[in-house]
Amino acid sequence: MRRLLATSLASFLIAASPGCDSSGTQPPHACTLAPPQLSDWRLHTDGTVLRDELGRVVFLRGVDAGGRSKWAPYMPFEYTDFTASLGPYLDRAASWGIDAIRVPFTWAALEPTEGTHDLDWLSRYQQLLDAAWARGIWTVIDFHQDVYSESFCGDGFPSWTIPNAPPPHHDCPQWEFEYFGDADVQHAFDAFWAPGSPVQAKYLAAWDTMIAHLVDQPGVLGFEPINEPGWGTKDEGTFEATTLTDFFTRMIAHVHAAAPKSLVFVDPAGLDGISAKTSMHRPDGDFVFAPHYYPVSSRPDDVLAGFQSWAQQGAQWNVPVWVGEFGLSHTSAVARDFLTAEFQALDATGLGGACWEYSVESSLWNGETNSVVASDGTEYPDATALIRPFARAVAGSDVNQQWDPSTSTFTLSYATAPGTQGVTEIQLPKRAYPKGHTVTLSSGCWDDTSVPGRLLVQNEAGASDVTVTIAP
């Protein structure tokens, strides 16, 4: 039943979902809004923000379809019937209220034998992307590698790119140290980065295949050329400042030649995720900076500084920042608070990001325990950090948003452009308010029924500022 609460401010009204009183009439500030109709799902960069074709500022919050994607059958969930398992996987993600998924693919999945593409795998990959967009979730295509290949207890590059490759395996709990102590891993990267590298030429051909299949795939925002690139035997800082910067300049141009409307996500070396600093120079071209963040400290109070550092890097380069990975093992006693603090840090800095990771798996890749769900899909406590409102697309500027998990209160404020009456969209997962929610709006009207899982807001003509608050 609708409850109306009078306030002392005439411009404010608090109204509980679903947007009309018990007589069926709509109270002031509740209205019926048509959801914005966009001809293109793609986004474009504008300085440090992402915008849609209506000019609205877009915020990406999501997860990585992670660890289980690193070995056959190269999907983020186990299945005997792919279609039957895909629906529940993405329905669960949609119930959290996220709007983006970073979807890893390994070159070994696409081209297990040199010159032969696994089109069955690619078809399943495209079905996953389709199903995500059917739920309003954008996707980022991530060429994923860790310590080069499954032959080195990692993932990514096919074994046929390695002379005398060892058998694939994924049973190395300290796999990341191979970047420093495994000469075979280092030499594989040296061969890849070498001028005129035949492996890099074949890598580009693999990317050309992926882009040709996915450039017009609905919901796909763009392509990430390589995850956490290794530096081989070179000094890591020098490698970033020279070889890696030059590589991304070429890759940005290469991708945009085939997909001019797609975003390119630039990921620095993995060590940068610890320090939240990079030795890279700004690559030429239009791109989104996509670093990671895995600080040594697991104190929730310490995480904001790292996101602020990445925001400063984005401001220096005048590019948007998408923190492509962050998170903590679900076995940690502070996992939920830590992940909550990280999403709050995204709000505070205005960055986008995805937590690592969301897999449904009974066998763990190298023993990692970062998935927010168990092998049967049961959510670990840290998954609740994902269930929160946030601004999806804002018809305004100077955006500020904040989620207080202790009171389940979300506040969004923004300035409107003169004469603008665009519709702002807020992700509003039902699970955040199982007993219903209230809305406080300073100007205009709101609609929480036209698009399930979202609140639409339209400001009044002439209003300069809008504030909306959602609470139980």
Side-chain angles (χ1 to χ4, degrees), residues 1-5 13-31 426 428-441 446-456 468-472:
M1 179 181 294
R2 166 68 58 195
R3 295 181 296 115
L4 297 181
L5 304 178
L13 180 137
I14 301 177
S17 174
C20 59
D21 62 22
S22 58
S23 67
T25 60
Q26 291 182 328
H29 288 256
C31 60
I426 299 171
L428 184 59
K430 184 177 181 180
R431 292 179 62 186
Y433 297 102
K435 296 182 179 180
H437 60 269
T438 64
V439 178
T440 303
L441 181 63
W446 53 267
D447 177 352
D448 60 0
T449 61
S450 292
V451 181
R454 289 185 210 166
L455 181 78
L456 307 181
V468 57
T469 302
I470 306 171

Side-chain angles (χ1 to χ4, degrees), residues 18 20 24 26 44 54 112 123 128 145 163 176 183 210 212 337 355 388 428 456 467:
C20 59
Q26 291 182 328
H44 64 273
L54 300 179
S123 174
L128 190 157
Q145 73 78 36
E176 60 270 22
M210 290 295 287
D337 292 342
C355 78
R388 61 199 300 279
L428 184 59
L456 307 181
T467 299

Side-chain angles (χ1 to χ4, degrees), residues 36 38 43 50-60 99 138 390-396 399 401 412 414 422-427 454-457:
L38 285 76
L43 306 177
L50 293 171
R51 295 188 187 274
D52 62 18
E53 67 176 23
L54 300 179
R56 299 179 302 171
V57 181
V58 172
F59 295 89
L60 303 175
D99 68 349
W138 283 293
F390 66 90
R392 177 186 176 97
V394 178
V399 181
Q401 56 182 314
L412 169 69
Y414 56 94
V423 173
T424 288
E425 298 182 62
I426 299 171
Q427 294 287 106
R454 289 185 210 166
L455 181 78
L456 307 181
V457 176

Side-chain angles (χ1 to χ4, degrees), residues 19 35 38 68 118 124 133 166 191 229 232 249 367 374 401 435 465 467:
L38 285 76
R68 188 59 186 85
D118 186 342
R124 289 189 292 273
W133 187 237
T249 290
Q401 56 182 314
K435 296 182 179 180
D465 298 286
T467 299

Side-chain angles (χ1 to χ4, degrees), residues 143-149 155-157 179 189 226-230:
F143 176 95
H144 209 87
Q145 73 78 36
D146 297 288
V147 293
Y148 194 86
S149 172
D155 62 284
F157 292 79
Y179 281 114
F189 276 112
I226 187 168
N227 171 76
E228 296 185 357

